[in-house]
Amino acid sequence: MKTLKILFYILISTLLYSCGLKPITSEYAFIKSDIEEIDLDHLGNGKVLIYNDASILHTLDNTARLNIWINNKALGQIRPKEYAIINFEPGTHQFKVLHIDFVNIKSEHTVDINQDSKVIRVKPTISSNKLEITNTLPEKFERFTYAEKRE
């Protein structure tokens, strides 16, 4: 009976962590900023905040990690409740977003960045990924942390 419990816990742990996405190394220069300094007035004119707004359902099973490429250049991995600030040239940019939920779930998005673009929300969904320019900071932004460059 004890062996069966151990096997059960190992199986559950394997299922929960099998969806973990390995990070990709960023080819972008992140703009480091303290959370107190982040204000919509300091964003725009090419400086855009990108954040992962994964729901609790994706964070429970470890499927909320997003690997992001912009114009075929790796941005890196943004985990749930993390953000990064990137400088963009005005114009159209191609985003590729990947998360794992037993299978690779990849989506592509075309985004027009202009001087008024400030905030992009990225979120894994059951069948794809959602990406939208919101130009508003998320609720309870003080709980978000700056995404570290991962190797």
Side-chain angles (χ1 to χ4, degrees), residues 106-126:
K106 198 180 286 187
S107 62
E108 295 189 20
H109 310 269
T110 301
V111 179
D112 290 320
I113 302 289
N114 58 36
Q115 69 273 8
D116 298 325
S117 302
K118 297 180 178 190
V119 180
I120 295 177
R121 174 182 175 230
V122 186
K123 179 178 181 174
T125 65
I126 274 187

Side-chain angles (χ1 to χ4, degrees), residues 95-149:
F95 282 69
K96 291 181 188 174
V97 182
L98 168 72
H99 82 274
I100 295 179
D101 200 349
F102 292 111
V103 296
N104 287 345
I105 299 179
K106 198 180 286 187
S107 62
E108 295 189 20
H109 310 269
T110 301
V111 179
D112 290 320
I113 302 289
N114 58 36
Q115 69 273 8
D116 298 325
S117 302
K118 297 180 178 190
V119 180
I120 295 177
R121 174 182 175 230
V122 186
K123 179 178 181 174
T125 65
I126 274 187
S127 60
S128 187
N129 300 293
K130 186 175 183 178
L131 185 143
E132 63 182 335
I133 296 177
T134 63
N135 289 336
T136 58
L137 293 175
E139 289 185 26
K140 299 181 183 177
F141 187 66
E142 64 276 0
R143 295 184 181 175
F144 282 67
T145 58
Y146 191 79
E148 298 295 326
K149 277 191 155 185

Side-chain angles (χ1 to χ4, degrees), residues 10 14 81 88 147:
I10 290 172
T14 303
K81 305 299 181 220
F88 285 95

